[in-house]
Amino acid sequence: MTREYETVIGLEVHVELSTKTKIFCGCSCEFGGSPNTRICPVCLGMPGALPVLNKKVLEYAIAAGLATDCTISPVTVFDRKNYFYPDNPQNYQISQLYLPVCRDGGITIETGEEGAKSIRRIRIREIHMEEDAGKLFHDRKEGFSHIDHNRAGVPLLEIVSEPDMKNAEEVIAYLDRLRRILQHLGISDCKLQEGSLRVDVNLSVREAGDSRLGVRTEMKNLNSFRAVSAAIESERSRQIGLLQKGEAVEQQTRRWDDAKKESFVMRSKEDVRDYRYFPDPDLPPVSISPEFIESVCVSMGESYDEMVERFAKEYRLPQKELSYLTGEKALARLFEETVSICHKSGSVSNWLMGENLRLMRKEGMDAEDLRFSPEHLAQLIDIFEEGRINSTIAKEVFEVMFYEDISPEAYVEEKGLGLISDLSLLEETAAACMKDNPKSVQDYLSGKAKAIGFLVGQTMKAMGGKADPGAVKSVLEKLLSSL
Ligand code: ADP
Ligand code: MG
Ligand code: ZN
């Protein structure tokens, strides 16, 4: 008898907070910088150096908790998670185990195609604050490993879900929603590729209908949504394969190799007891007053969902556009600012999702990296819709604006790209084209209506592309019908 299996998935998501300074010292969190230039005795774990909590980190943690329906703890405590690794000079990581800052929240996800949507609540067990570790560089040629401590002490939130997800689609929906919510709060850029959002996938399988959880593995090193999906499929088959052979799944931490599309054992999974957690004696318990929570709540402003709802109402965008434009904070802002100048939400949305998205994909850019101003996009839309340039030229101008943020108005003027609206010149050029292409003219007159397309093309070419194809076509039709 073949058995049916179901998959159970819980996620541990780390997000790097975009505070100016580290969690327990005043060192800069800015990405990059020469190795070991953003360090001090505190983040290096020197004897006698004392950590002090960065208040912004607490604010951001509370904001994340409020945005995901968590309960905020009245008292939160930092614990030491003890382990040795060369990127961790303290020999412990300051994290939270017993009294995390937020608990018992959840977010609602939507999966499935239009018409067969399923809406589910994924519970969030807790959110805790912790510090990041340094980075190791292994120089295999020289046979040395180097350590850069710039990242040591950068604040992280760890968001732990309950094992409520059943497949890759739900996992992606959960991650995407979480990313949107946190990015909207402005507390993290949440980029998987750059490591400001890191996902560990805990996965087990069990026989369908069984209420007990199976033994799980934890998978790391997932740098894209695509990798997350592939890793889930691969691990699910691996575990089912083991069970079908009558073997047991071992509790392990595994590393996903995206090139090989396979995961490998890193270590047999350690237990929480192995870390000898204890409250950090250098950091007093933190009381969180209702007034403080209230002040964070006020500073958060419009929530992600409120923004989406407002966009839907104010701009009447179709679902797909709405989802895309609210997907990145920088894009939503660019859209709103442009619309506030030109008052053409449909056109702004079309340009952003059309030419703009095409070029962003080509360059591998995020909305954050866009360089053109809302004023310039509004200007381009205006001159195009006033009929001062045609659509081919508008796209060309958009591309120059995309890369160099030129003023479309000035650019069209300078390069002489404006449409030629001189009707007699148009007629003269069209007539000349008809004379040069008697075959097309014959074809048209003998009933092949499509033959006019060629004549339009030739006339456009003769006018250097600077005519309105619609106007050219009607001039040709007029001339042809008078033959
Ligand atoms: P640890 O403390 O070892 O990291 P936790 O109990 O905190 O383990 O769980 C970590 C993550 O693993 C959570 O997201 C949780 O939902 C998930 N998880 C726990 N048990 C299972 C299981 N049997 N199958 C799938 N996911 C699980
Ligand atoms: Mg854990
Ligand atoms: Zn420091």
Side-chain angles (χ1 to χ4, degrees):
M1 193 185 87
T2 54
R3 297 193 167 105
E4 290 261 349
Y5 290 94
E6 61 186 24
T7 313
V8 176
I9 304 167
L11 300 182
E12 290 162 289
V13 173
H14 286 90
V15 290
E16 210 173 81
L17 296 180
S18 44
T19 52
K20 286 205 180 64
T21 56
K22 293 184 178 179
I23 182 168
F24 299 121
C25 63
C27 294
S28 166
C29 285
E30 210 180 315
F31 186 76
S34 304
N36 300 310
T37 52
R38 290 169 182 162
I39 52 173
C40 74
V42 173
C43 51
L44 286 185
M46 300 276 193
L50 287 172
V52 177
L53 177 62
N54 178 347
K55 196 171 169 192
K56 262 287 176 258
V57 175
L58 184 66
E59 276 177 41
Y60 283 8
I62 293 171
L66 292 173
T68 53
D69 292 342
C70 288
T71 306
I72 312 300
S73 311
V75 177
T76 187
V77 172
F78 287 97
D79 303 296
R80 291 184 181 182
K81 179 181 184 180
N82 299 282
Y83 68 94
F84 168 78
Y85 203 67
D87 64 8
N88 166 26
Q90 294 170 142
N91 279 351
Y92 57 83
Q93 177 195 29
I94 306 179
S95 179
Q96 302 197 285
L97 180 69
Y98 302 105
L99 282 171
V101 60
C102 313
R103 277 199 179 135
D104 298 327
I107 58 180
T108 303
I109 60 163
E110 217 181 85
T111 53
E113 299 294 306
E114 205 57 59
K117 287 224 181 290
S118 125
I119 293 182
R120 289 195 60 216
R121 184 84 175 155
I122 307 299
R123 291 169 300 159
I124 288 175
R125 182 185 296 174
E126 65 168 70
I127 300 180
H128 62 255
M129 302 174 274
E130 59 186 32
E131 55 180 348
D132 209 345
K135 256 188 197 161
L136 293 174
F137 296 93
H138 304 292
D139 189 332
R140 298 195 200 282
K141 212 166 89 206
E142 292 197 9
F144 289 110
S145 287
H146 304 266
I147 308 175
D148 176 6
H149 288 294
N150 283 354
R151 203 181 63 182
V154 167
L156 299 175
L157 292 184
E158 179 171 338
I159 302 166
V160 185
S161 85
E162 291 293 347
D164 284 350
M165 284 158 274
K166 292 190 240 157
N167 51 44
E169 194 193 357
E170 289 188 353
V171 168
I172 303 299
Y174 171 85
L175 289 173
D176 186 49
R177 183 140 173 84
L178 196 58
R179 180 190 68 76
R180 286 167 183 257
I181 292 172
L182 300 177
Q183 205 190 61
H184 178 78
L185 286 175
I187 68 174
S188 170
D189 337 321
C190 293
K191 290 189 187 160
L192 233 70
Q193 276 79 358
E194 293 174 15
S196 55
L197 188 148
R198 294 169 231 159
V199 189
D200 299 339
V201 170
N202 293 270
L203 184 150
S204 63
V205 297
R206 63 182 172 194
E207 277 185 41
D210 197 339
S211 59
R212 290 163 307 174
L213 289 173
V215 176
R216 76 181 141 130
T217 58
E218 177 174 340
M219 248 177 320
K220 294 189 178 286
N221 195 39
L222 303 160
N223 300 323
S224 65
F225 281 3
R226 205 184 24 72
V228 169
S229 286
I232 288 172
E233 290 313 320
S234 148
E235 183 58 11
R236 171 191 140 77
S237 321
R238 192 189 68 85
Q239 291 189 14
I240 292 176
L242 286 171
L243 297 181
Q244 281 174 336
K245 281 191 286 185
E247 289 172 28
V249 173
E250 245 183 274
Q251 187 165 326
Q252 288 166 339
T253 301
R254 302 177 68 89
R255 182 188 164 83
W256 176 252
D257 184 328
D258 203 43
K260 296 205 174 86
K261 300 277 174 275
E262 248 187 289
S263 66
F264 298 92
V265 191
M266 283 168 78
R267 49 183 187 260
S268 61
K269 173 98 172 99
E270 63 294 342
D271 203 85
V272 62
R273 282 166 299 190
D274 299 332
Y275 288 112
R276 296 291 186 271
Y277 276 94
F278 65 87
D280 192 312
D282 289 341
L283 286 157
V286 182
S287 303
I288 304 174
S289 67
E291 292 75 32
F292 188 63
I293 297 175
E294 184 54 34
S295 74
V296 174
C297 193
V298 168
S299 72
M300 285 162 61
E302 185 184 46
S303 77
Y304 174 75
D305 282 339
E306 284 163 356
M307 175 185 75
V308 174
E309 211 171 291
R310 184 170 58 76
F311 267 49
K313 248 207 232 119
E314 244 169 71
Y315 306 121
R316 300 179 185 287
L317 297 165
Q319 189 51 43
K320 198 168 148 217
E321 277 81 349
L322 183 65
S323 165
Y324 175 70
L325 292 170
T326 55
E328 274 192 79
K329 199 181 168 75
L331 194 64
R333 192 181 301 136
L334 177 61
F335 171 79
E336 284 217 277
E337 287 177 5
T338 311
V339 175
S340 78
I341 302 166
C342 70
H343 307 288
K344 295 177 181 123
S345 56
S347 311
V348 177
S349 157
N350 284 343
W351 280 97
L352 288 178
M353 277 193 75
E355 282 304 287
N356 177 57
L357 182 57
R358 183 178 70 77
L359 292 169
M360 275 170 69
R361 288 213 174 114
K362 181 171 152 206
E363 301 297 335
M365 280 162 70
D366 294 312
E368 233 181 40
D369 312 321
L370 291 174
R371 289 182 284 267
F372 60 85
S373 67
E375 287 77 15
H376 287 163
L377 176 56
Q379 211 180 72
L380 175 66
I381 290 172
D382 280 341
I383 59 178
F384 170 54
E385 296 194 359
E386 284 161 15
R388 286 161 59 194
I389 51 175
N390 67 26
S391 70
T392 313
I393 287 175
K395 282 183 188 162
E396 279 169 34
V397 176
F398 183 90
E399 187 155 341
V400 182
M401 179 190 80
F402 181 90
Y403 289 107
E404 295 162 39
D405 192 27
I406 44 94
S407 145
E409 183 101 53
Y411 185 81
V412 165
E413 176 82 12
E414 185 195 313
K415 304 268 171 187
L417 297 173
L419 282 188
I420 297 166
S421 49
D422 181 343
L423 198 62
S424 56
L425 177 62
L426 237 176
E427 283 180 350
E428 215 174 279
T429 316
C433 275
M434 281 163 58
K435 209 168 141 214
D436 292 345
N437 298 283
K439 169 103 174 51
S440 298
V441 172
Q442 269 317 311
D443 286 351
Y444 181 81
L445 294 177
S446 66
K448 283 190 199 148
K450 272 193 190 151
I452 201 170
F454 181 74
L455 293 169
V456 171
Q458 290 301 305
T459 312
M460 285 296 291
K461 203 165 144 198
M463 304 214 30
K466 293 183 292 186
D468 172 26
V472 170
K473 189 164 176 232
S474 43
V475 164
L476 279 162
E477 278 167 349
K478 199 181 85 190
L479 293 177
L480 286 161
S481 67
S482 65
L483 283 181

PDB file of all heavy atoms in Angstrom, residues 251-268:
ATOM      1  N   GLN A 251      17.302  14.193  12.956  1.00  0.00           N
ATOM      2  CA  GLN A 251      17.242  15.634  13.200  1.00  0.00           C
ATOM      3  C   GLN A 251      18.594  16.250  12.850  1.00  0.00           C
ATOM      4  O   GLN A 251      19.609  15.915  13.446  1.00  0.00           O
ATOM      5  CB  GLN A 251      16.898  15.899  14.664  1.00  0.00           C
ATOM      6  CG  GLN A 251      16.650  17.374  14.910  1.00  0.00           C
ATOM      7  CD  GLN A 251      15.956  17.645  16.225  1.00  0.00           C
ATOM      8  OE1 GLN A 251      15.132  16.865  16.679  1.00  0.00           O
ATOM      9  NE2 GLN A 251      16.303  18.765  16.834  1.00  0.00           N
ATOM     10  N   GLN A 252      18.594  17.117  11.853  1.00  0.00           N
ATOM     11  CA  GLN A 252      19.858  17.647  11.346  1.00  0.00           C
ATOM     12  C   GLN A 252      19.716  19.102  10.940  1.00  0.00           C
ATOM     13  O   GLN A 252      18.622  19.566  10.633  1.00  0.00           O
ATOM     14  CB  GLN A 252      20.255  16.905  10.047  1.00  0.00           C
ATOM     15  CG  GLN A 252      20.717  15.506  10.233  1.00  0.00           C
ATOM     16  CD  GLN A 252      20.739  14.771   8.885  1.00  0.00           C
ATOM     17  OE1 GLN A 252      20.069  15.153   7.921  1.00  0.00           O
ATOM     18  NE2 GLN A 252      21.521  13.702   8.831  1.00  0.00           N
ATOM     19  N   THR A 253      20.867  19.784  10.890  1.00  0.00           N
ATOM     20  CA  THR A 253      20.920  21.074  10.226  1.00  0.00           C
ATOM     21  C   THR A 253      21.589  20.820   8.890  1.00  0.00           C
ATOM     22  O   THR A 253      22.659  20.211   8.833  1.00  0.00           O
ATOM     23  CB  THR A 253      21.745  22.078  11.049  1.00  0.00           C
ATOM     24  OG1 THR A 253      21.128  22.203  12.328  1.00  0.00           O
ATOM     25  CG2 THR A 253      21.769  23.432  10.384  1.00  0.00           C
ATOM     26  N   ARG A 254      20.939  21.242   7.804  1.00  0.00           N
ATOM     27  CA  ARG A 254      21.463  20.973   6.471  1.00  0.00           C
ATOM     28  C   ARG A 254      21.712  22.280   5.729  1.00  0.00           C
ATOM     29  O   ARG A 254      21.059  23.284   5.978  1.00  0.00           O
ATOM     30  CB  ARG A 254      20.488  20.091   5.675  1.00  0.00           C
ATOM     31  CG  ARG A 254      20.192  18.755   6.358  1.00  0.00           C
ATOM     32  CD  ARG A 254      19.176  17.949   5.593  1.00  0.00           C
ATOM     33  NE  ARG A 254      19.685  17.475   4.316  1.00  0.00           N
ATOM     34  CZ  ARG A 254      20.339  16.319   4.147  1.00  0.00           C
ATOM     35  NH1 ARG A 254      20.547  15.519   5.166  1.00  0.00           N
ATOM     36  NH2 ARG A 254      20.775  15.972   2.942  1.00  0.00           N
ATOM     37  N   ARG A 255      22.650  22.232   4.805  1.00  0.00           N
ATOM     38  CA  ARG A 255      22.991  23.409   4.033  1.00  0.00           C
ATOM     39  C   ARG A 255      22.564  23.198   2.587  1.00  0.00           C
ATOM     40  O   ARG A 255      22.917  22.192   1.976  1.00  0.00           O
ATOM     41  CB  ARG A 255      24.505  23.616   4.113  1.00  0.00           C
ATOM     42  CG  ARG A 255      24.997  24.827   3.387  1.00  0.00           C
ATOM     43  CD  ARG A 255      26.534  24.837   3.363  1.00  0.00           C
ATOM     44  NE  ARG A 255      26.994  25.778   2.370  1.00  0.00           N
ATOM     45  CZ  ARG A 255      27.118  27.077   2.583  1.00  0.00           C
ATOM     46  NH1 ARG A 255      26.876  27.565   3.775  1.00  0.00           N
ATOM     47  NH2 ARG A 255      27.491  27.890   1.621  1.00  0.00           N
ATOM     48  N   TRP A 256      21.779  24.132   2.055  1.00  0.00           N
ATOM     49  CA  TRP A 256      21.323  24.027   0.676  1.00  0.00           C
ATOM     50  C   TRP A 256      22.419  24.485  -0.274  1.00  0.00           C
ATOM     51  O   TRP A 256      23.021  25.541  -0.076  1.00  0.00           O
ATOM     52  CB  TRP A 256      20.064  24.874   0.470  1.00  0.00           C
ATOM     53  CG  TRP A 256      19.570  24.910  -0.947  1.00  0.00           C
ATOM     54  CD1 TRP A 256      19.631  25.957  -1.818  1.00  0.00           C
ATOM     55  CD2 TRP A 256      18.952  23.828  -1.649  1.00  0.00           C
ATOM     56  NE1 TRP A 256      19.074  25.599  -3.013  1.00  0.00           N
ATOM     57  CE2 TRP A 256      18.652  24.300  -2.945  1.00  0.00           C
ATOM     58  CE3 TRP A 256      18.617  22.504  -1.321  1.00  0.00           C
ATOM     59  CZ2 TRP A 256      18.033  23.505  -3.909  1.00  0.00           C
ATOM     60  CZ3 TRP A 256      18.006  21.720  -2.285  1.00  0.00           C
ATOM     61  CH2 TRP A 256      17.718  22.212  -3.565  1.00  0.00           C
ATOM     62  N   ASP A 257      22.702  23.652  -1.264  1.00  0.00           N
ATOM     63  CA  ASP A 257      23.662  24.030  -2.297  1.00  0.00           C
ATOM     64  C   ASP A 257      22.848  24.335  -3.548  1.00  0.00           C
ATOM     65  O   ASP A 257      22.345  23.411  -4.202  1.00  0.00           O
ATOM     66  CB  ASP A 257      24.639  22.875  -2.531  1.00  0.00           C
ATOM     67  CG  ASP A 257      25.726  23.252  -3.523  1.00  0.00           C
ATOM     68  OD1 ASP A 257      25.428  24.053  -4.443  1.00  0.00           O
ATOM     69  OD2 ASP A 257      26.859  22.763  -3.379  1.00  0.00           O
ATOM     70  N   ASP A 258      22.725  25.611  -3.868  1.00  0.00           N
ATOM     71  CA  ASP A 258      21.804  26.006  -4.931  1.00  0.00           C
ATOM     72  C   ASP A 258      22.328  25.620  -6.312  1.00  0.00           C
ATOM     73  O   ASP A 258      21.555  25.462  -7.244  1.00  0.00           O
ATOM     74  CB  ASP A 258      21.528  27.509  -4.856  1.00  0.00           C
ATOM     75  CG  ASP A 258      20.201  27.858  -5.526  1.00  0.00           C
ATOM     76  OD1 ASP A 258      19.217  27.111  -5.312  1.00  0.00           O
ATOM     77  OD2 ASP A 258      20.146  28.847  -6.263  1.00  0.00           O
ATOM     78  N   ALA A 259      23.648  25.463  -6.434  1.00  0.00           N
ATOM     79  CA  ALA A 259      24.199  25.056  -7.727  1.00  0.00           C
ATOM     80  C   ALA A 259      23.896  23.578  -7.955  1.00  0.00           C
ATOM     81  O   ALA A 259      23.486  23.179  -9.041  1.00  0.00           O
ATOM     82  CB  ALA A 259      25.696  25.304  -7.763  1.00  0.00           C
ATOM     83  N   LYS A 260      24.070  22.767  -6.926  1.00  0.00           N
ATOM     84  CA  LYS A 260      23.831  21.318  -7.067  1.00  0.00           C
ATOM     85  C   LYS A 260      22.356  20.960  -6.897  1.00  0.00           C
ATOM     86  O   LYS A 260      21.963  19.833  -7.162  1.00  0.00           O
ATOM     87  CB  LYS A 260      24.643  20.564  -6.017  1.00  0.00           C
ATOM     88  CG  LYS A 260      26.156  20.710  -6.184  1.00  0.00           C
ATOM     89  CD  LYS A 260      26.870  19.502  -5.554  1.00  0.00           C
ATOM     90  CE  LYS A 260      28.362  19.522  -5.811  1.00  0.00           C
ATOM     91  NZ  LYS A 260      29.090  20.330  -4.800  1.00  0.00           N
ATOM     92  N   LYS A 261      21.556  21.905  -6.401  1.00  0.00           N
ATOM     93  CA  LYS A 261      20.136  21.653  -6.117  1.00  0.00           C
ATOM     94  C   LYS A 261      19.967  20.475  -5.150  1.00  0.00           C
ATOM     95  O   LYS A 261      19.147  19.576  -5.355  1.00  0.00           O
ATOM     96  CB  LYS A 261      19.345  21.378  -7.415  1.00  0.00           C
ATOM     97  CG  LYS A 261      19.377  22.528  -8.400  1.00  0.00           C
ATOM     98  CD  LYS A 261      18.341  23.585  -8.072  1.00  0.00           C
ATOM     99  CE  LYS A 261      18.449  24.820  -8.961  1.00  0.00           C
ATOM    100  NZ  LYS A 261      19.436  25.820  -8.501  1.00  0.00           N
ATOM    101  N   GLU A 262      20.778  20.500  -4.122  1.00  0.00           N
ATOM    102  CA  GLU A 262      20.788  19.421  -3.133  1.00  0.00           C
ATOM    103  C   GLU A 262      21.190  20.011  -1.795  1.00  0.00           C
ATOM    104  O   GLU A 262      21.902  21.021  -1.756  1.00  0.00           O
ATOM    105  CB  GLU A 262      21.918  18.456  -3.517  1.00  0.00           C
ATOM    106  CG  GLU A 262      21.484  17.092  -3.982  1.00  0.00           C
ATOM    107  CD  GLU A 262      22.718  16.221  -4.158  1.00  0.00           C
ATOM    108  OE1 GLU A 262      23.496  16.470  -5.113  1.00  0.00           O
ATOM    109  OE2 GLU A 262      22.912  15.338  -3.323  1.00  0.00           O
ATOM    110  N   SER A 263      20.784  19.370  -0.717  1.00  0.00           N
ATOM    111  CA  SER A 263      21.253  19.851   0.584  1.00  0.00           C
ATOM    112  C   SER A 263      22.197  18.825   1.203  1.00  0.00           C
ATOM    113  O   SER A 263      22.130  17.640   0.878  1.00  0.00           O
ATOM    114  CB  SER A 263      20.070  20.114   1.510  1.00  0.00           C
ATOM    115  OG  SER A 263      19.407  18.911   1.824  1.00  0.00           O
ATOM    116  N   PHE A 264      23.092  19.318   2.058  1.00  0.00           N
ATOM    117  CA  PHE A 264      24.087  18.454   2.694  1.00  0.00           C
ATOM    118  C   PHE A 264      24.060  18.657   4.202  1.00  0.00           C
ATOM    119  O   PHE A 264      23.786  19.764   4.668  1.00  0.00           O
ATOM    120  CB  PHE A 264      25.481  18.786   2.150  1.00  0.00           C
ATOM    121  CG  PHE A 264      25.587  18.530   0.671  1.00  0.00           C
ATOM    122  CD1 PHE A 264      25.323  19.545  -0.244  1.00  0.00           C
ATOM    123  CD2 PHE A 264      25.912  17.264   0.200  1.00  0.00           C
ATOM    124  CE1 PHE A 264      25.384  19.307  -1.617  1.00  0.00           C
ATOM    125  CE2 PHE A 264      25.981  17.017  -1.166  1.00  0.00           C
ATOM    126  CZ  PHE A 264      25.722  18.030  -2.071  1.00  0.00           C
ATOM    127  N   VAL A 265      24.370  17.613   4.939  1.00  0.00           N
ATOM    128  CA  VAL A 265      24.363  17.724   6.401  1.00  0.00           C
ATOM    129  C   VAL A 265      25.465  18.665   6.856  1.00  0.00           C
ATOM    130  O   VAL A 265      26.607  18.551   6.424  1.00  0.00           O
ATOM    131  CB  VAL A 265      24.665  16.358   7.070  1.00  0.00           C
ATOM    132  CG1 VAL A 265      24.395  16.435   8.568  1.00  0.00           C
ATOM    133  CG2 VAL A 265      23.872  15.264   6.425  1.00  0.00           C
ATOM    134  N   MET A 266      25.117  19.624   7.711  1.00  0.00           N
ATOM    135  CA  MET A 266      26.138  20.471   8.331  1.00  0.00           C
ATOM    136  C   MET A 266      26.493  19.896   9.694  1.00  0.00           C
ATOM    137  O   MET A 266      27.627  19.810  10.085  1.00  0.00           O
ATOM    138  CB  MET A 266      25.605  21.885   8.554  1.00  0.00           C
ATOM    139  CG  MET A 266      25.561  22.748   7.316  1.00  0.00           C
ATOM    140  SD  MET A 266      24.589  24.242   7.630  1.00  0.00           S
ATOM    141  CE  MET A 266      25.760  25.222   8.559  1.00  0.00           C
ATOM    142  N   ARG A 267      25.468  19.568  10.443  1.00  0.00           N
ATOM    143  CA  ARG A 267      25.666  18.980  11.768  1.00  0.00           C
ATOM    144  C   ARG A 267      24.375  18.300  12.182  1.00  0.00           C
ATOM    145  O   ARG A 267      23.300  18.641  11.686  1.00  0.00           O
ATOM    146  CB  ARG A 267      26.058  20.063  12.793  1.00  0.00           C
ATOM    147  CG  ARG A 267      25.149  21.280  12.759  1.00  0.00           C
ATOM    148  CD  ARG A 267      25.623  22.346  13.745  1.00  0.00           C
ATOM    149  NE  ARG A 267      24.663  23.434  13.826  1.00  0.00           N
ATOM    150  CZ  ARG A 267      24.780  24.602  13.208  1.00  0.00           C
ATOM    151  NH1 ARG A 267      25.830  24.854  12.449  1.00  0.00           N
ATOM    152  NH2 ARG A 267      23.859  25.539  13.348  1.00  0.00           N
ATOM    153  N   SER A 268      24.515  17.313  13.080  1.00  0.00           N
ATOM    154  CA  SER A 268      23.286  16.740  13.599  1.00  0.00           C
ATOM    155  C   SER A 268      22.744  17.815  14.522  1.00  0.00           C
ATOM    156  O   SER A 268      23.503  18.493  15.213  1.00  0.00           O
ATOM    157  CB  SER A 268      23.548  15.441  14.344  1.00  0.00           C
ATOM    158  OG  SER A 268      24.387  15.690  15.440  1.00  0.00           O
TER     159      SER A 268
END
